[in-house]
Amino acid sequence: MDEKRDVLHNELRKEFEESKMAFNSLQELNVQLRELNRKLEESERMKSHFISNIRNEIVNPFASIIGLALHIQTCDVNQLDTIKRMASMIYSEAFSLDFQLKNIFAAAEIEAGEIKLSYMKVSLPEIILSVVESYASEAAKRSIKVEHLAVTASQEAISDPDKLKLIVSNLLNNCIKYSSDGSSVRITSAIADGVIAITVTDSGIGISEEDQPHIFDRFKRLNTDINTQNSGYGLGLTVTKAIVEALSGSISLSSNKGVGSTFKVEIPEAMLFGGMDDFNADTNEIIFDNNGQTF
Ligand code: ADP
């Protein structure tokens, strides 16, 4: 009799334990579902914020460009200074549009899983200089000095120049945007052990340790005074990170609030399929794309 009772008792205990475990895992699932729901709501909120932001970032500059171009047509030959001033405003609006659109198209390619890479021989100082020059008037307007330092003697590698330009543009754009007038931004470049390393450093507002893990999230903009005054929609660093990763590289950040930030990108130099013999070092021709096809 006792034996039967023990068996029944054990059976009940087992069933109780199993129900307890099932209840615990249901509770865990519930927490996960709530978190997923919160993330979806956050993503939805950020998306609608993005759409309204994009309206300001794209529609408004276009309206200015059209207005300025119309105005220039009414100027006469004696108004050269006015014409120059308006042409420079058109340049700055068009430049910012070009930058935003490049990021939006890159984000669309990333979303569709279709990042195309085109490799060729690149010179890091040439790439960096072309980006620095494109920001010259923005930096001059705010008396920000941008300098480039080539750390290693070797500065030539096989990589994708357009992607490198977009990476440097995004980092430089942010470093200028989040710096105060009259400060300096420094870019360094190095190639060592087959790895391209580029750093961009500012002495701007910096990013707190708590915020650092989130700045690469899509549409994420930190809640700073400077962000309410400045353009942007939290896509630049997401695109930068995705491109760096498509090039098999990594991006890291070291920053202190109120002191400044350094973004470091490390990208392995691309290896040629079939070895260096296929490569014509004197041309800037596309060598191969990411399907491994040589040209
Ligand atoms: P945004 O278009 O807002 O600049 P990003 O994706 O480029 O978007 O950057 C995300 C956020 O990270 C920015 O809104 C800003 O709050 C912060 N951030 C990025 N770069 C810097 C920097 N150099 N210094 C301080 N904060 C930065």
Side-chain angles (χ1 to χ4, degrees):
M1 192 68 179
D2 271 359
E3 208 176 292
K4 227 174 177 184
R5 201 188 55 200
D6 281 352
V7 170
L8 201 63
H9 188 80
N10 283 342
E11 202 60 30
L12 274 173
R13 190 204 297 272
K14 211 173 128 206
E15 270 184 32
F16 175 74
E17 287 301 330
E18 279 172 4
S19 321
K20 208 167 126 191
M21 270 165 64
F23 179 73
N24 284 344
S25 60
L26 264 178
Q27 258 186 334
E28 221 167 84
L29 268 177
N30 197 18
V31 170
Q32 284 173 10
L33 268 174
R34 271 171 201 267
E35 178 60 12
L36 193 66
N37 202 24
R38 195 192 58 75
K39 281 192 178 152
L40 280 173
E41 276 172 10
E42 166 97 350
S43 155
E44 210 42 53
R45 197 181 51 74
M46 287 203 282
K47 265 189 191 162
S48 50
H49 184 64
F50 172 68
I51 305 272
S52 70
N53 248 0
I54 245 183
R55 219 166 264 148
N56 294 337
E57 304 268 335
I58 293 181
V59 178
N60 294 351
F62 258 124
S64 308
I65 290 172
I66 293 169
L68 286 162
L70 268 179
H71 198 114
I72 286 180
Q73 289 180 52
T74 65
C75 290
D76 61 43
V77 279
N78 305 318
Q79 291 176 288
L80 193 62
D81 282 350
T82 313
I83 294 171
K84 276 190 172 175
R85 197 164 29 84
M86 285 196 287
S88 123
M89 282 157 84
I90 288 182
Y91 172 82
S92 125
E93 296 284 5
F95 177 76
S96 138
L97 264 180
D98 179 57
F99 172 69
Q100 313 280 23
L101 288 175
K102 276 188 183 133
N103 267 347
I104 290 170
F105 289 131
E109 276 184 20
I110 292 159
E111 188 100 334
E114 285 172 1
I115 306 189
K116 288 203 175 67
L117 304 175
S118 297
Y119 291 99
M120 60 182 75
K121 184 178 169 190
V122 298
S123 151
L124 294 186
E126 268 174 32
I127 286 184
I128 291 167
L129 197 67
S130 77
V131 177
V132 171
E133 271 173 1
S134 67
Y135 278 93
S137 71
E138 180 59 30
K141 249 192 261 169
R142 302 194 32 224
S143 310
I144 292 177
K145 195 172 143 209
V146 182
E147 53 184 12
H148 168 232
L149 183 75
V151 177
T152 53
S154 154
Q155 289 286 314
E156 286 188 340
I158 310 294
S159 194
D160 182 322
D162 289 339
K163 297 289 184 283
L164 290 181
K165 274 186 193 163
L166 195 54
I167 292 167
V168 178
S169 294
N170 269 300
L171 298 180
L172 181 58
N173 178 61
N174 278 346
C175 285
I176 291 177
K177 198 157 68 174
Y178 300 108
S179 285
S180 47
D181 294 1
S183 59
S184 298
V185 173
R186 169 181 270 219
I187 306 177
T188 68
S189 59
I191 303 175
D193 302 325
V195 176
I196 300 169
I198 298 173
T199 65
V200 188
T201 302
D202 66 49
S203 50
I205 60 169
I207 303 162
S208 70
E209 230 172 271
E210 181 195 351
D211 283 329
Q212 289 179 22
H214 308 295
I215 58 162
F216 296 99
D217 294 351
R218 205 159 51 142
F219 310 140
K220 182 72 188 175
R221 304 195 76 213
L222 301 179
N223 234 347
T224 55
D225 287 348
I226 211 162
N227 260 353
T228 47
Q229 302 155 17
N230 263 306
S231 61
Y233 40 78
L235 203 57
L237 286 180
T238 314
V239 164
T240 305
K241 186 167 187 271
I243 294 175
V244 169
E245 285 171 358
L247 291 165
S248 308
S250 62
I251 181 165
S252 58
L253 162 68
S254 110
S255 184
N256 284 308
K257 195 139 178 90
V259 179
S261 312
T262 293
F263 286 85
K264 182 173 190 180
V265 165
E266 288 180 295
I267 296 168
E269 202 183 343
M271 285 297 155
L272 292 176
F273 296 96
M276 286 301 279
D277 293 348
D278 290 350
F279 175 51
N280 179 357
D282 294 332
T283 67
N284 261 2
E285 283 165 35
I286 293 174
I287 315 288
F288 55 86
D289 66 10
N290 49 336
N291 298 322
Q293 286 176 307
T294 48
F295 289 82

